Amino acid sequence: MNDATRIARGKLKNRGGRGDPSPLGTWFWDIDRVLLLLALFLMAIGLIAVAAGSPASAVRYSGEHLKFTPLHYFWRQVMWVAASLPVLIGVSMLPVTLARRMALIGAAVCIALLVAVPVVGVSVNGARRWIGVGIAQVQPSEFLKPFFVVTVAWLLSLKSRDEDLPTTAITAGLTGAIAILLMLQPDFGQTMIFSIIWLAMVTIAGVPTRVILGLLGLVPVGLVAAYVFYGTARTRIDAFLFPGAEGEGASDHFQTNAAHATLTSGGWTGTGPGGGTVKFGLPEAHTDYIFSVVGEEFGLIACMVVAIVFLALVVRVFVKLLDEQDPFKLLAASGLAVQFGAQALISMAVNTGLAPSKGMTLPFISYGGSSMLALSIGMGLLLAFTRRNPFLMRSPYVKSWSAN
C-alpha cells in the first residue's frame, strides 16, 4: 500500500468522527445537537399541524373565482421549511464575529424597511405590516427580532469595556423607536415581544435592581397609556375584559371564543388527523390559531408536549450559558431564547383565552414564509453563539499545557 492510499484511507476513516477536519464535521461536533434536534422537532410538528389546519383555511379563503386545494398551505409550508433549513445550518456555521456583523447590518436594513412600511407597505386584515408583492411579501418585524437581539447584546456588552457608556439608555431609545414604528402598523403583539426581550436582556446584563424595579413599575403605566391613547390596544383589551361588548372588539372576542372551542373540542387525545370539524369555524387556523387546531385533532396531551418542547429549548439554552464567560455571547443567546419562549407563551396564551388576541404566530409551527425564514435565522444565530469545542473545555489545565 503506497503512501497516497494510506493517507486517503486515513481521511475516509475520520469522516464523520470526532477527528473529522472538514467544516461540516467540525460544525456537527461543536454544535449543540440537542438544540438543533428540538428545532427540527418543532418544524416537524409544524408540518403536521399545518396539514391539519390547511383544509379549514383553504375553505375559508376560497372564493368564486379562486379555489384552494385542501393541502394548499401544507405544500407551501413544505417549500418554506425546505428553504429555511439550509439558512439555519448556514447561519449556525458562521464565526461569532461574522454572525454579529451580519446581524448588525440586518438590523439597520430591517429598521429602514419598518420606516417604509407605512408608506409602501401592503395592508392585510386592516394592518400594514408587509412589503412586496405576492409570494415575495416579507414582514420586516419578523426578521428584525433576531437582529435586534444581537444588536442589543452587542451594545450592552460594551459596558464591560467602558463602564461610563450609557448602553441601557441607548438600547432603551432603540427599543422605543422600534415600538413606535410597530404601533403605527398597528402591531401591538410584536411591540410587546420587543419590549419583553429588551427588559429581559437588561436584567441579565446586570442593570441595578432599582432600575429594573423602576422599569417594571412603568409597565402598568404603559398599559394604561396604551389603553387611553392607542385604539388597537383599547379595542383588544375591551374585547378581552368585556366579552359582551359590541363594535370593533366583537371580532376579537369571536376569535378567542372560536379558538377556545376548537382547542377543547378534541379532549385529551383529539379527534385524530383530519377528524376535526370545529376548526372550520376558526379564523386563521393555519397561522395565529394553529395551537387550537393541534388541540382538536391531536388532543390536549399533544398541546402539553408542544409547550414542554418550547420550555426544554429555553431551559437548555440557559443551562448551557451557566459557565459562559463572553458577555456578548451570554446576552445574545439568552435574548434569542427569550424571544422564542416569549412568542410561544403569548401565542399559546391567546389560543387558550388567557390573553387578548394579538396576531401572534407559534414559532416553527404556524404557517408563514417570513416567519419560518426569520425563525431559522434566529435559531442559526442561537446555535452559532452556543457552539463550543468540548475538547477545549475538557480540563482546567488546557491553558497551562498550551502555554508550555
Side-chain angles (χ1 to χ4, degrees):
M1 182 184 299
N2 56 37
D3 292 341
T5 304
R6 189 178 296 107
I7 293 172
R9 285 190 176 184
K11 288 182 178 179
L12 288 173
K13 185 178 180 180
N14 285 331
R15 287 292 179 186
R18 192 62 188 87
D20 186 351
S22 69
L24 187 61
T26 303
W27 168 82
F28 179 78
W29 289 104
D30 291 354
I31 208 77
D32 189 325
R33 293 182 294 281
V34 173
L35 276 181
L36 179 61
L37 183 62
L38 290 172
L40 295 177
F41 186 46
L42 287 172
M43 286 184 178
I45 293 174
L47 287 176
I48 296 171
V50 171
S54 180
S57 294
V59 170
R60 175 173 289 272
Y61 296 114
S62 291
E64 183 179 351
H65 304 291
L66 181 63
K67 298 290 185 181
F68 293 117
T69 62
L71 292 179
H72 169 79
Y73 293 103
F74 167 72
W75 290 117
R76 286 174 66 92
Q77 187 72 347
V78 170
M79 177 189 71
W80 287 121
V81 170
S84 298
L85 280 174
V87 173
L88 188 156
I89 294 172
V91 173
S92 71
M93 288 181 170
L94 294 175
V96 172
T97 303
L98 187 56
R100 179 173 59 207
R101 190 175 303 153
M102 180 200 74
L104 292 175
I105 295 172
V109 172
C110 288
I111 291 173
L113 291 176
L114 274 187
V115 173
V117 164
V119 181
V120 299
V122 178
S123 181
V124 179
N125 295 330
R128 195 177 295 274
R129 304 171 185 171
W130 292 264
I131 286 182
V133 179
I135 195 173
Q137 286 185 6
V138 296
Q139 189 174 352
S141 60
E142 289 287 352
F143 289 93
L144 178 58
K145 278 184 287 190
F147 298 150
F148 168 80
V149 169
V150 177
T151 301
V152 171
W154 173 66
L155 289 170
L156 291 175
S157 67
L158 296 178
K159 191 79 170 179
S160 61
R161 302 181 186 179
D162 187 348
E163 287 290 334
D164 296 327
L165 286 175
T167 54
T168 303
I170 293 171
T171 56
L174 175 64
T175 307
I178 292 172
I180 292 171
L181 292 171
L182 289 171
M183 287 190 290
L184 289 174
Q185 295 182 358
D187 195 340
F188 189 54
Q190 296 285 20
T191 304
M192 287 190 61
I193 288 291
F194 278 91
S195 302
I196 290 169
I197 292 171
W198 175 76
L199 183 59
M201 291 184 69
V202 295
T203 302
I204 295 169
V207 171
T209 304
R210 65 179 184 278
V211 176
I212 298 299
L213 293 176
L215 292 172
L216 291 175
L218 291 175
V219 172
V221 176
L223 290 174
V224 171
Y227 183 84
V228 174
F229 300 108
Y230 189 46
T232 301
R234 180 167 59 253
T235 298
R236 292 187 170 178
I237 292 173
D238 282 345
F240 179 71
L241 296 178
F242 311 108
E246 300 294 334
E248 294 181 17
S251 62
D252 282 345
H253 177 53
F254 164 74
Q255 291 178 7
T256 53
N257 273 354
H260 186 268
T262 306
L263 177 70
T264 56
S265 63
W268 286 105
T269 56
T271 61
T277 57
V278 183
K279 67 183 181 183
F280 285 92
L282 181 64
E284 309 293 341
H286 61 313
T287 55
D288 300 348
Y289 296 103
I290 199 164
F291 190 66
S292 295
V293 175
V294 173
E296 179 180 21
E297 298 211 350
F298 303 101
L300 296 176
I301 293 177
C303 291
M304 292 171 60
V305 170
V306 172
I308 290 171
V309 174
F310 279 111
L311 178 62
L313 189 151
V314 175
V315 170
R316 174 69 180 183
V317 173
F318 279 95
V319 169
K320 185 91 173 178
L321 295 174
L322 286 176
D323 60 349
E324 179 58 65
Q325 300 298 313
D326 186 327
F328 167 72
K329 291 201 291 185
L330 172 65
L331 289 166
S334 58
L336 289 165
V338 169
Q339 176 202 328
F340 290 123
Q343 184 168 333
L345 182 62
I346 291 175
S347 178
M348 290 186 285
V350 169
N351 277 255
T352 54
L354 297 176
S357 174
K358 291 182 178 64
M360 187 70 63
T361 56
L362 190 58
F364 293 116
I365 295 179
S366 293
Y367 168 85
S370 288
S371 176
M372 184 59 68
L373 285 170
L375 288 165
S376 295
I377 291 173
M379 180 54 67
L381 288 170
L382 180 57
L383 290 169
F385 296 142
T386 55
R387 190 174 64 228
R388 295 181 183 178
N389 187 327
F391 281 87
L392 296 180
M393 304 299 293
R394 175 174 291 179
S395 168
Y397 303 107
V398 169
K399 291 184 179 179
S400 300
W401 297 339
S402 62
N404 292 333

